[in-house]
Every structure is written in structure tokens, then in C-alpha cells.
Amino acid sequence: MADVKRCEFMHLEIYNLQNTLNQYSMDARPFGTLTFSQLCSKVLMGLRREQRNMEYIEKKDKAYQRVLISMLLGSIVTFAVLYAPQPLINVFSKQYGVSPATASASISLPTLALAASLLFIPFLSRRIGRKRIMAISLFVTSVLSIISAFSYSFGFFLFIRLLEGISVSGFPAIAIAYLNEEISPLSIGGTMGAYVAGTAVGGFVGRVAIGPLTDLFSWQIAFSVLGFACFLCSLYFWFYLPSSQNFKTEKTPFTKYLTALAAVLGSKRLFPIYTMGFLVMGSYIMLFNYIGYPLTKAPYNLSQTALGFLFIVNLDGMWSSTMFGKLADHHSRKKLMGLACLIFVVGASLTLISNLWMKILGIAVFAFGFFAGHTTASGWIGVAAPANRKATASSLYLLFYYLGSSIIGWAGGFIWISLHWIGLVSGIYLLMLLCYGLTFLTNDTGTG
């Protein structure tokens, strides 16, 4: 069954097939002269020839479970620290007397630093190794989280958050490359699932854990506890993640790396998809950054604990991602992105209703739409990018994705101050309309 699924994936990549055939030293005949069964046979022969020369980790191996747990913990550390301040943005405004836009810099600054760092971390990992980069990232991020608890001013706190954005980039920039290199192609689904699940769980844990600890003690204590917990997870990662067996460090010229980057950045086919990621993530962060302001005031008066637990709705992203990932195998990504944009709009509209439970429902629907849109766009990049540029294209997608978080999330603060919640929701309407319009500017490669 795994072989069949792999064949189906190859069959969908019509535009990249010739590169794939050449990679595995197969006949360079046009796609039309090969039957589906011949194509599957040849691709699988190439994969098996490659696998004999690689020391892959299989699902039956003990190392597989170590990778599974390590990737889950690495994701939790990364995204728990990155998004922990989000429910506290209104607290920072009150404590330090800063505007909502300035308070939201606790999220926008690290995501901006993360976006910029994603351009260079893959290059560094080629020189000093995959596992080492990821481990350093997790350790430094944990320590910086502890240091941030001792911030004597909001300016110093933002400086530490900026450094966290740089340090945290080492894990997401390398994790997928490590999995593709070390795990057998027929066993990678579980580890990739653990990585993706960790991103959702990590964001959830960071946001939810901070609220009760802040109510009971202070946000400084909350960040200290989070930092120590993340440090313990980082120790497990360092000792238990298997070292790379199929990757050797190399000194690739930086100019060659920049050339590959420029090639995929200038692609008319890929640029609209990058921009979709920018708009989807930016809209999501804009709503979640500022929802705490109306909900912690009358008539709702939610505590930080209650506000933190509100982020539990993000867990529906695990269902949304899986659902839309499967739908993309059989339906047009252009239509799926349109559906995701519509769900975004419906969710945002529900938050305009004064009833608290309707607002919570709206937030849940909105989160569902976000993960649906992100899954559709990120998968679209994998299909649309040339076979020898997929990794670079994925890195650029993440760059735009986190730039959206930083720029649109920050700009939302000015919209909230000037036009209040209805203005912010109207902004989301506009962004989703633009996002849907971009689907007509790129090819919908097959159905997958």
C-alpha cells in the first residue's frame, strides 16, 4: 500500500516527472509513452537502488521511536516559546503603558527574525551538521526564555525576544530536511506527523500554560517555568535523536546558494503561493494578537487563565490539516484555497456577535480555516516547485509565512486602535479576498 501511494504521488507530479526520472537514472522518454504501471515500476526501482546505498531508519527500528519523540519535543519547545507571549499582549500594554502595536512586537519581532534567519540556517547546517544546529537552537531558545523572565524593561524583553527569533529558527529550518534524509521513504509519514503535531501542540502548550501561571504568580515566573521545561526537552533531544547517517557536511559556496534562492524567488508560478502564505498567516496572527483586548474588558472580563485556554481551539488545526491534506489528493488546490478563505471570513464574522460563546465559536472556525489554508498552500509549493528546488522553495514559503505574521500582525495594532474590532475584521475580509485572487495567478498542478 505504501508503494502504491508513492507511485500515485509521482504520477501527480507531471510537470516535474522528467527531472525525477533523470535523478533515478531511468529512460528519459516523454511521460506520454509510459503507462502508469511502467512508471511506478521504474520509479520504485530507482528508489530501491537509492535505498540500498543509504542507512535509512525504518519503522521497525528502535531508533524510529527516538526520532518520533525527539521531533515532537523539538516542535513543542520551538513553538511554545515563540507564541507564549500572545495571550499576554494586553498585560504588557497595561504593565508598561505601551500601545497594542508595540505590545504585539513581542510576537512580530521574533517572527521577523525567524523569517530572516530561515534564509541562512540551511546554508550553515551544510557546514556544521543537521543535529548540531537543531540542538543548539533548542538549548539557546530555552536559556533565552529563562533570561526573558528577568527583563527590567519592555525594551530589554523585546531584545531577548528578537534573539529568540534567531535562535528558534534552527529547528524548523532543518527538521524536515533531517527527516527526509534519515527516515525511510516508506516510513516517514509517522515522523512527519509527529513534527506537524508538535507545532500545533507546542503553540497550544505555550499559550495555555502561561495564562494560569501569570494569574497565580506573574508572567516572569511563567516564562521561567516554561524555559526550564523546554531545557529538559532539549536535553532529551540532544541525547536521544540519532546522529545523521546520510548527510555529510560540505562547504557549498554561498554564491551558489544565493543563485538557487534567486531562481525560485523570481518564479511567476511560485510567488503567488508564497504570498498566500504571507496573507493567511498574517490574518491569523492579527486576530489572535488582539482578541485579548475586547475579551478581558467588560462585559466579558476574562482572566488570563480563561484567555489562555481559549487557544485550545487551535487543536482543531490537527483535524483541519489532515482533512485538507487528504482533499488535496483528489481536488483542485485552487478550490480548496477558496474554501479556506471562505471559512476564514465566516469565523471572523462570528467574532462580531456580542455573545461570548458565538465569539469562541468564531475563533474556532477561524483557526480551522487558517490550518486549512496553510496546509493547502504549503502542499501546493511542494507540487509546483521544480524537483531540484523543492527544499529552497519550501524555505522561501516559510520566509513569507513568518513575514506575514510579523508585518500584518504588527499593523493590526494600528487598525485596532483606529477602527476597533469591526475595522480589524474588515481588514481580514480584504486580505482573504486578495488571497483568493492570487489563486488565479498560478497553475493548479494536477489535483495534488
Side-chain angles (χ1 to χ4, degrees):
M1 180 60 70
D3 286 355
V4 171
K5 288 183 178 179
R6 192 164 185 82
C7 291
E8 289 176 347
F9 176 77
M10 287 296 184
H11 184 265
L12 290 171
E13 289 199 303
I14 291 175
Y15 293 94
N16 299 324
L17 179 60
Q18 207 62 42
N19 287 332
T20 305
L21 295 176
N22 291 337
Q23 179 183 347
Y24 293 113
S25 303
M26 291 179 266
D27 300 334
R29 290 185 289 170
F31 174 75
T33 64
L34 289 174
T35 66
F36 180 63
S37 59
Q38 288 173 328
L39 171 66
C40 290
S41 175
K42 286 179 176 291
V43 171
L44 288 172
M45 285 173 60
L47 289 170
R48 285 165 183 153
R49 280 203 302 271
E50 180 189 28
Q51 192 165 357
R52 281 196 295 268
N53 297 323
M54 309 286 274
E55 296 181 15
Y56 282 128
I57 298 173
E58 303 283 354
K59 187 175 289 188
K60 62 184 178 182
D61 299 333
K62 291 182 179 180
Y64 181 83
Q65 291 299 322
R66 289 161 53 197
V67 173
L68 206 69
I69 297 173
S70 297
M71 285 294 136
L72 178 63
L73 293 178
S75 293
I76 290 174
V77 169
T78 299
F79 294 97
V81 172
L82 186 63
Y83 291 114
Q86 198 167 45
L88 301 179
I89 289 176
N90 61 308
V91 173
F92 296 146
S93 285
K94 294 176 183 177
Q95 182 171 334
Y96 294 103
V98 296
S99 69
T102 301
S104 72
S106 58
I107 297 294
S108 59
L109 265 182
T111 52
L112 180 63
L114 167 60
S117 301
L118 286 171
L119 291 174
F120 307 104
I121 293 295
F123 174 76
L124 289 176
S125 75
R126 289 181 176 275
R127 291 175 172 256
I128 66 177
R130 307 292 201 203
K131 179 180 176 179
R132 187 176 298 175
I133 280 283
M134 290 189 289
I136 291 173
S137 167
L138 298 179
F139 277 118
V140 174
T141 299
S142 302
V143 171
L144 286 173
S145 180
I146 297 171
I147 293 175
S148 70
F150 298 94
S151 300
Y152 56 85
S153 69
F154 191 62
F156 183 75
F157 177 71
L158 290 182
F159 174 69
I160 297 299
R161 290 291 293 166
L162 181 69
L163 295 181
E164 283 179 343
I166 298 172
S167 68
V168 84
S169 66
F171 182 79
I174 303 303
I176 293 177
Y178 172 90
L179 292 175
N180 282 322
E181 290 163 355
E182 305 302 324
I183 306 297
S184 166
L186 303 181
S187 303
I188 197 170
T191 52
M192 198 66 77
Y195 169 74
V196 173
T199 64
V201 174
F204 166 72
V205 168
R207 290 158 169 144
V208 171
I210 289 295
L213 289 172
T214 299
D215 274 341
L216 291 172
F217 306 103
S218 67
W219 70 263
Q220 290 91 342
I221 295 294
F223 272 80
S224 296
V225 172
L226 178 65
F228 279 114
C230 288
F231 189 83
L232 294 177
C233 292
S234 302
L235 283 175
Y236 181 96
F237 184 92
W238 173 251
F239 285 110
Y240 288 95
L241 181 73
S243 298
S244 296
Q245 299 299 316
N246 302 320
F247 172 79
K248 303 297 179 185
T249 56
E250 59 181 8
K251 294 185 177 181
T252 305
F254 190 58
T255 52
K256 184 178 179 181
Y257 175 74
L258 289 179
T259 301
L261 205 62
V264 290
L265 179 61
S267 170
K268 293 181 180 179
R269 187 178 175 192
L270 297 175
F271 193 82
I273 309 177
Y274 299 148
T275 311
M276 290 176 212
F278 176 89
L279 296 172
V280 164
M281 181 58 163
S283 300
Y284 169 77
I285 291 297
M286 185 163 68
L287 185 138
F288 275 91
N289 270 2
Y290 304 105
I291 191 65
Y293 285 96
L295 292 185
T296 53
K297 295 179 180 178
Y300 310 109
N301 296 316
L302 295 186
S303 66
Q304 288 305 132
T305 299
L307 186 63
F309 273 99
L310 187 61
F311 287 91
I312 197 172
V313 299
N314 282 285
L315 292 181
D316 70 6
M318 299 176 69
W319 176 42
S320 173
S321 299
T322 303
M323 176 183 172
F324 271 71
K326 291 179 179 178
L327 286 173
D329 290 336
H330 308 288
H331 299 278
S332 161
R333 278 191 167 85
K334 188 177 295 184
K335 293 179 180 178
L336 290 177
M337 182 56 77
L339 178 58
C341 291
L342 179 61
I343 296 172
F344 254 107
V345 169
V346 171
S349 299
L350 289 173
T351 65
L352 293 172
I353 301 173
S354 59
N355 181 273
L356 177 61
W357 292 108
M358 292 303 294
K359 284 185 181 294
I360 294 173
L361 176 62
I363 294 168
V365 172
F366 188 84
F368 185 96
F370 161 69
F371 284 101
H374 174 41
T375 299
T376 302
S378 58
W380 204 341
I381 281 289
V383 172
N388 61 339
R389 291 285 186 265
K390 290 186 184 295
T392 308
S394 295
S395 294
L396 276 175
Y397 173 81
L398 288 176
L399 167 66
F400 276 73
Y401 178 80
Y402 286 112
L403 278 177
S405 170
S406 179
I407 296 172
I408 298 178
W410 171 72
F414 297 101
I415 298 175
W416 162 249
I417 292 171
S418 304
L419 303 173
H420 307 293
W421 192 253
I422 191 170
L424 193 140
V425 170
S426 298
I428 291 172
Y429 291 163
L430 183 61
L431 294 174
M432 287 301 100
L433 181 63
L434 180 58
C435 184
Y436 179 60
L438 288 169
T439 64
F440 295 94
L441 300 181
T442 187
N443 293 329
D444 196 353
T445 311
T447 57

